[in-house]
Amino acid sequence: MSQSPYPPWQPWEGQRVPQSWAGHRAPSMLASHAERERAVDVLRAGYAEGRMEHEEFDKRVARAYAARTVGELAVLVADLPQGPVERPAPAVPATFAPVARARTNGKAVGAALCGLLCVPTFGLTGIPAVVLGHMARSEIRHSGEGGDGLALTGLVLGWLYTAGWALVMVLVAAVTVTVG
């Protein structure tokens, strides 16, 4: 026979004076059927959580159904939680946790947009794309924001169209000087 983890005297065995159920009616008041069922529910929850052995659970349930007063019921459940026990949420391993995305720099978005608008505007938005692209890349380096690819796209497209317009102007000037 194994040694019981409980002291030799158990309060629910009726060897001591019953104590009142926390915040409940007087211990000498007769117990109702609903109060007995509530005590048995608390015992079931305690057993399901592994707080007592099956033999002890059976004894306590039998005593709960035989109890005449609220005090007798209170002694049966005094060492058990009276409601759901709050458990911490399970921790999600870092491998499965969602990755926080860095905020995209607004100037980088503007640089990419101006760079793409160079095509329909025949290069008029090239200089704003270059200016916004350089500003965005500087801010991204200092703040850790996202959008470096967008800023680089705006820079490349802006410089291509600005260089294209510069080449066109040089060619027009060369033709004008040569012809004129």
Side-chain angles (χ1 to χ4, degrees):
M1 183 164 136
S2 68
Q3 188 72 12
S4 173
Y6 305 104
W9 169 81
Q10 293 294 320
W12 49 270
E13 290 176 338
Q15 296 179 1
R16 296 248 175 126
V17 177
Q19 298 164 2
S20 65
W21 203 335
H24 212 269
R25 299 187 233 170
S28 61
M29 183 173 286
L30 291 177
S32 68
H33 294 296
E35 289 165 333
R36 285 186 194 90
E37 289 301 324
R38 182 177 182 282
V40 170
D41 287 342
V42 171
L43 292 170
R44 282 187 186 124
Y47 176 68
E49 292 172 352
R51 297 182 185 275
M52 67 182 95
E53 299 294 323
H54 186 69
E55 182 180 307
E56 180 182 354
F57 169 71
D58 287 340
K59 286 180 186 178
R60 287 191 189 201
V61 168
R63 294 274 317 220
Y65 284 124
R68 293 198 26 86
T69 65
V70 172
E72 292 174 44
L73 292 174
V75 170
L76 292 172
V77 296
D79 59 345
L80 298 172
Q82 301 297 310
V85 177
E86 186 174 322
R87 293 203 164 89
V92 177
T95 307
F96 302 112
V99 178
R101 291 182 38 190
R103 191 173 89 77
T104 304
N105 186 290
K107 290 179 183 164
V109 173
L113 188 61
C114 287
L116 291 173
L117 286 176
C118 283
V119 176
T121 62
F122 300 106
L124 290 175
T125 57
I127 293 177
V130 170
V131 171
L132 286 172
H134 282 294
M135 290 172 63
R137 292 199 73 200
S138 174
E139 288 180 8
I140 288 169
R141 274 193 298 271
H142 295 305
S143 69
E145 292 176 308
D148 192 51
L150 293 171
L152 193 59
T153 301
L155 272 172
V156 169
L157 291 174
W159 277 118
L160 282 175
Y161 278 95
T162 302
W165 273 109
L167 183 63
V168 168
M169 297 274 231
V170 168
L171 289 176
V172 167
V175 170
T176 305
V177 169
T178 323
V179 174

